[in-house]
């Protein structure tokens, strides 16, 4: 355990979200909580329209743009409601009487598709399935050539990292196959900022904060300018991207503290070398864990096709589910938390977000090796 | 200044929201930030579905129910989106093809009315004005007998404390005049928890957190059971009160940190003697300030009818607006912050939320007296 971890009796936190936050960020938040930069009050006690918070919001957006290389013709919005609210906001803002294609590769893209079907008629539109890997159990991604695209679709929606089944899109072929002129809309909630992304390939990127961005309560939406302004006139005002963009995310009081923490996380990322450095770190972490699982002679197994294995969420099962309870209890005693798999699939799951360094993964592997030696 | 204030160089914070939080709460948040109760991680790093956060959510709701005396046939929801999202959610959930009456007594109830008009057709309904004090400049409340009620209205909406003009509803006559069977829906954002309220007189109470509850990012909705389940089938799922209630506010990841802080604020209120004690404290605070203003020989003036003067938000003007800049600069130098009036009305405004003790109000009065002596 690192010195930092020991000094607060902190555990290694593999929770899928809300999840671990960088310790230096938490220390700064703690130190500034009652008095931010001599203002005589904390950030969460300040008006969102005062110069202090406005400077925090500006810096936070600027740092995100720099980290991700967001082109100037994209708006950056800090919204409320979670990705689940985006499942409705996206069709309501973007359909404008047309159909939208959906790729279903896991629980989240399935929910997004269902919600689009639910609300589409309010925007005079509809939702359509372009492809699904559900029949195979969500253990991989369909080949780009097997998808059934509508060249007139208002947009094509996918989830580029599915947390429950641990499936991540790495191959550009999937995005490249989308017909020209159809904007790509991606739920990047669980892997945004884990590696560089070419934002210009997307019409809209969205992400709930509570994995790599900050605490829950903030939803990031990065949206290309030309997609704004087509929402129905009866859409709730807070759900209209154009209105929120025109008001710099401050039509009403935003979650100021969550935005502030996101800003500190972005500065921490910059200090570590940005997204390229994160990619190297995350590839190493995930590589170590998958290699260990694959070399365990079947004691641990991960079912996902190798090319689609998520670096952020590593689900695995034990050879005998009867060992699960002891595995988790032993892990907890060893200072490894949040390993229980999602209830819909059972088993185990280690989430390896940016805030967890390679030492955490090594500690997990040490425990898993030891558990296998004792119980295998 | 109290010893507590001095030890962190904190100022007296009169911001209208986000606003001051109780210092003991902030100290506890700071102390637990990296390790909550030995869990080895902070609250904002935990799964919302783990036993730790679930216990926090349960306790937070239980304490609120106890503080406010919320009857068992009301749901307590912790939602996202702010009061502004509720301006749309309320008509969408409650209209069910009917008309809703609105009382406009300031900026917030005016916005609520406009938003209801905007979205009502999606619920097959409409919005109607039952009365307004706009013609008089929002300096009082209409007499109950002058309102034009629709006895078949789906609900009657009012804002019981308007922050910008500083108008608060104290007289039950207004609510009593609403036709029997028409639920009363109240925006209590800026004065909830400042005094006891009889929840049973209301069908729905809502409040953005960032005045007396906690940091921005959480919106409280207290809604009577019989009003649930009438939303259109095409309503975005996160906006459906029944769905959120069925999921104990956790259809998706809620703002866990904001809920946790609200829980600490509720415990702090309980420790001080609950809402009756708060009422006495707030009546004293507001009384001191209004009495001082009224006795200043016109140097300071508050235009609101005495019976409707808000205890939470005290707008006032100086006899000569040319003195405003110096007044604010001197206040800042004296450790008094957040006094600038809302841009729509100018002048000054002191917000006196629960977290500001009477010492803060006395410090403000001392400054105002001194300023008048020097510049009057």
């Amino acid at each position: 355990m690192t010195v930092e971890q020991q000094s607060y009796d902190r555990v290694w936190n593999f929770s899928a979200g809300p999840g671990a936050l960088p310790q230096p960020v938490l220390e700064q938040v703690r130190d500034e909580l009652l008095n931010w930069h001599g203002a005589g009050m904390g950030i969460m006690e300040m008006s969102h329209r005062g110069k202090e918070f406005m400077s925090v919001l500006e810096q936070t957006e600027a740092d995100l743009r720099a980290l991700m290389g967001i082109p100037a013709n994209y708006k950056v919005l800090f919204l409320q409601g979670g990705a689940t609210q985006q499942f409705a906001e996206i069709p309501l803002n973007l359909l404008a009487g047309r159909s939208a294609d959906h790729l279903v590769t896991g629980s989240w893209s399935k929910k997004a598709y269902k919600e689009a079907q639910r609300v589409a008629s309010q925007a005079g539109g509809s939702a359509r399935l372009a492809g699904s890997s559900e029949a195979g159990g969500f253990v991989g991604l369909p080949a780009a050539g097997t998808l059934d695209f509508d060249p007139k679709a208002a947009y094509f929606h996918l989830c580029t990292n599915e947390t429950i089944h641990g499936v991540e899109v790495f191959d550009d072929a999937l995005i490249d196959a989308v017909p020209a002129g159809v904007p790509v809309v991606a739920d990047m909630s669980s892997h945004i900022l884990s590696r560089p992304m070419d934002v210009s390939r997307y019409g809209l990127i969205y992400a709930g904060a509570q994995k790599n961005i900050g605490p829950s309560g903030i939803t990031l939406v990065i949206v290309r300018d030309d997609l704004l302004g087509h929402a129905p006139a009866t859409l709730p005002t807070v759900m209209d991207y154009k209105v929120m963009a025109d008001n710099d995310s401050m039509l009403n009081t935003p979650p100021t503290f969550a935005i502030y923490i996101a800003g500190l996380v972005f500065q921490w990322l910059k200090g570590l070398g940005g997204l390229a450095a994160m990619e190297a770190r995350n590839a190493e972490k995930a590589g170590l864990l998958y290699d260990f699982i694959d070399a365990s002679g079947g004691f641990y197994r991960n079912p996902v096709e190798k090319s689609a294995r998520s670096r952020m969420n590593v689900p695995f099962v034990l050879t005998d589910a009867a060992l699960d309870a002891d595995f988790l209890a032993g892990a907890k005693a060893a200072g490894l938390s949040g390993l229980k798999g999602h209830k819909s699939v059972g088993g185990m799951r280690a989430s390896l977000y940016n805030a967890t360094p390679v030492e955490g993964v090594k500690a997990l592997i040490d425990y898993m090796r030891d558990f296998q030696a004792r119980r295998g």
Side-chain angles (χ1 to χ4, degrees), chain A:
Chain A
M1 206 174 267
T2 64
V3 172
E4 292 83 2
Q5 293 287 119
Q6 285 173 327
S7 56
Y8 299 101
D9 289 322
R10 281 166 64 80
V11 300
W12 293 120
N13 180 358
F14 300 97
S15 174
L21 287 169
Q23 189 156 317
V25 167
L26 292 174
E27 288 168 350
Q28 186 171 348
V29 171
R30 178 204 57 199
D31 292 342
E32 300 180 336
L33 201 76
L34 279 84
N35 193 337
W36 182 85
H37 300 202
M41 63 182 74
I43 275 275
M44 61 175 109
E45 304 176 278
M46 290 180 187
S47 169
H48 49 304
R49 300 195 194 277
K51 59 176 173 19
E52 295 91 352
F53 180 73
M54 301 265 327
S55 75
V56 166
L57 179 60
E58 279 172 33
Q59 189 66 47
T60 298
E61 177 177 339
D63 285 344
L64 182 69
R65 284 185 178 274
L67 276 168
M68 290 188 67
I70 298 171
N73 64 322
Y74 285 72
K75 296 284 186 274
V76 171
L77 306 178
F78 296 100
L79 304 179
Q80 298 186 52
T84 303
Q85 181 153 324
Q86 291 308 306
F87 295 164
E89 275 196 46
I90 287 161
L92 289 170
N93 274 274
L94 303 188
L95 279 180
R98 296 165 296 170
S99 169
D101 275 353
H102 287 76
L103 175 62
V104 171
T105 53
S107 308
W108 299 109
S109 47
K110 188 172 177 182
K111 285 183 180 186
Y113 177 46
K114 281 187 125 85
E115 188 72 359
Q117 288 177 301
R118 177 185 167 93
V119 307
S121 60
Q122 286 186 48
S126 56
R128 177 181 171 281
L129 195 61
S132 172
S133 57
E134 185 163 15
F138 290 144
V139 293
L141 295 161
T146 66
L147 300 186
D148 175 21
F149 294 106
D150 166 9
K152 290 182 154 41
Y155 59 90
F156 170 82
H157 178 283
L158 79 165
C159 175
T160 46
N161 189 74
E162 288 278 6
T163 58
I164 293 175
H165 294 85
V167 172
E168 185 168 1
V169 175
F170 290 98
D171 187 355
D172 285 341
L174 213 51
I175 310 294
D176 288 345
V178 179
V182 175
V184 180
V185 172
D187 176 357
M188 292 196 182
S189 295
S190 46
H191 75 152
I192 197 170
L193 300 175
S194 67
R195 54 183 167 95
M197 284 293 199
D198 183 354
V199 175
S200 68
R201 304 174 81 95
Y202 299 88
L204 186 152
I205 291 168
Y206 65 109
Q210 65 275 12
K211 287 89 167 56
N212 279 335
I213 295 174
S216 58
I218 264 294
T219 309
L220 180 65
V221 171
I222 301 166
V223 54
R224 210 172 61 209
D225 288 351
D226 62 288
L227 297 178
L228 303 176
H230 307 294
T234 54
L235 183 65
T237 307
V238 296
M239 298 184 93
D240 190 329
Y241 292 143
K242 184 169 193 320
V243 173
M244 296 308 266
D246 288 347
N247 285 276
D248 297 316
S249 302
M250 304 219 301
L251 169 77
N252 61 330
T253 312
T256 53
F257 197 58
I259 290 171
Y260 153 76
I261 295 181
L264 294 182
V265 170
F266 300 160
Q267 286 175 14
W268 174 79
L269 285 168
K270 284 170 67 183
L272 287 182
L275 302 193
M278 272 303 117
E279 173 158 44
R281 177 161 134 147
N282 289 328
E284 180 189 10
K285 286 152 55 182
L288 284 170
L289 184 53
Y290 283 119
D291 287 350
F292 172 78
I293 287 169
D294 290 344
S296 71
F299 188 79
Y300 301 106
R301 279 174 300 113
N302 167 278
V304 179
E305 291 166 16
K306 284 192 163 61
S307 60
R309 279 171 154 180
S310 169
R311 289 183 188 147
M312 295 289 98
N313 310 99
V314 182
F316 59 94
V317 292
L318 274 58
T319 187
D320 181 356
L323 295 170
D324 284 1
D326 286 354
F327 180 87
L328 287 168
K332 187 171 179 187
L336 308 160
S337 180
L339 288 165
K340 191 166 184 199
H342 193 272
K343 60 185 189 290
S344 62
V345 295
M348 306 297 157
R349 173 177 55 177
S351 296
L352 313 179
Y353 297 123
N354 282 346
T356 293
V358 71
E359 286 81 10
V361 180
K362 288 179 176 177
L364 172 60
I365 290 171
D366 285 349
Y367 172 74
M368 290 171 73
R369 183 181 298 114
D370 177 71
F371 185 85
Q372 179 175 6
R374 290 188 285 108
R375 305 295 297 272

